[in-house]
Amino acid sequence: MAAETIDLAGLVRTLVEPIVDHPEDLKVEQSLPAPDDILVEITVNEEDTGKVIGRQGRVIKAIRTLSRAAAVRTGEHVDVEIVE
């Protein structure tokens, strides 16, 4: 992992929280499955899953793009997934 770390879970939480109707059910976890790889898992209320995915997946694609852009500085690879 790079010397500089970024709180990608905090970034994702900041992006998702205003979208959902049940922010109390929002859970964002960050893990390191391999060196220089970061996995961010989003768990939301069942009713909010569609809002986070968006039409044709546009919202989740935008969240993934922003997360990857934030991680470019440290040279890490980021995956953002919705846990059902």
Side-chain angles (χ1 to χ4, degrees), residues 2 5 35 51 67-68:
T5 59
K51 291 179 181 182
S67 298
R68 288 177 181 144

Side-chain angles (χ1 to χ4, degrees), residues 15-29:
L15 295 170
V16 174
E17 203 165 27
I19 297 172
V20 297
D21 289 333
H22 304 282
E24 66 277 359
D25 294 339
L26 174 63
K27 191 165 115 177
V28 180
E29 295 179 344

Side-chain angles (χ1 to χ4, degrees), residues 1-6 36 73-76:
M1 189 165 132
E4 182 181 342
T5 59
I6 294 179
D36 294 331
R73 290 180 53 187
T74 61
E76 296 170 320

Side-chain angles (χ1 to χ4, degrees), residues 29-50:
E29 295 179 344
Q30 180 173 321
S31 62
L32 304 168
D36 294 331
D37 284 348
I38 299 174
L39 175 63
V40 179
E41 295 179 325
I42 305 169
T43 306
V44 293
N45 188 301
E46 189 176 308
E47 297 174 6
D48 293 327
T49 303

Side-chain angles (χ1 to χ4, degrees), residues 55-71:
R55 289 188 180 176
Q56 297 181 351
R58 288 185 181 136
V59 174
I60 193 66
K61 284 180 189 175
I63 292 169
R64 288 176 177 144
T65 300
L66 289 171
S67 298
R68 288 177 181 144

